[in-house]
Amino acid sequence: MTPPSRARCALTVLALLVACWLPSILAGGETLLPPLALALPGIYAAYRLGAAAALVASLAAGVLAGPLTPASLGPWTDQPPLTWSFRAGFFVLLALSAHRIAQRLVHYRRSSSAASANAAFMLKGWKRFFAKHAPAFGPRLAEGGDRKSTRL
C-alpha cells in the first residue's frame, strides 16, 4: 500500500479545516462550542507533510478559530484577540510537537530494525540486561547460558 500523495494530503488538510470549523459556526459561535477540533488538521499535516505544512495548517486553523469565528453568532460579537491568539499558539505547539514525535518514532523504528539485524549487538544487549537483573532471573541467564530451559 503506497502512502497518499502530497497533493491529496494537502486537500485532506483543507477538508479537515472546513469540517472542524463548521460545527462551531453552526452551533452558534465560540462561546457555545469552542473550535478546539481545529488542532487536528495541524497534527495531520505534521504527520503527513512535515513541519512547514504543520505550521501553515496551524496558523490557518488559528485564523479560522479566531477572527473568522464569532464569540456569539446572534449579534456577531468578535472574540477578544488574546483568546484566539493563545488558541492559535496552542495549535502551533500541538502540531510541531506531533511532528517531533512522529520523527522520533520513525527514527526509533529504523534504528531498532537495523540493530535487531545484528546478532552480535543483540547478544551484547541480552547479556547486559540479564547481568543487570541477575537477582530476578538467576545467574545462568546473566552469563548468557541456556535460554531455552528458563523456569518461571
Side-chain angles (χ1 to χ4, degrees):
M1 187 161 120
T2 61
S5 68
R6 292 183 66 80
R8 186 172 177 191
C9 288
L11 288 175
T12 304
V13 168
L14 288 174
L16 278 171
L17 282 168
V18 172
C20 293
W21 178 60
L22 280 179
S24 184
I25 293 293
L26 296 175
E30 184 264 342
T31 54
L32 296 172
L33 182 65
L36 297 176
L38 279 165
L40 297 176
I43 294 170
Y44 179 80
Y47 179 70
R48 290 287 187 188
L49 300 170
L55 183 63
V56 170
S58 298
L59 290 175
V63 169
L64 284 175
L68 296 181
T69 302
S72 176
L73 197 58
W76 192 277
T77 55
D78 291 333
Q79 298 178 49
L82 194 61
T83 302
W84 60 264
S85 59
F86 274 126
R87 190 177 295 134
F90 178 68
F91 292 162
V92 169
L93 180 70
L94 275 177
L96 295 180
S97 298
H99 174 68
R100 180 69 178 140
I101 290 169
Q103 275 186 328
R104 291 189 68 159
L105 286 174
V106 168
H107 175 71
Y108 175 75
R109 184 184 318 151
R110 288 179 184 158
S111 63
S112 65
S113 295
S116 64
N118 185 347
F121 178 80
M122 293 299 289
L123 182 61
K124 186 178 175 182
W126 173 273
K127 286 182 178 180
R128 280 187 183 171
F129 176 80
F130 284 108
K132 180 179 178 182
H133 302 290
F137 293 104
R140 281 192 355 188
L141 285 176
E143 298 166 0
D146 184 18
R147 293 183 205 125
K148 292 182 181 176
S149 64
T150 58
R151 295 180 193 159
L152 297 178

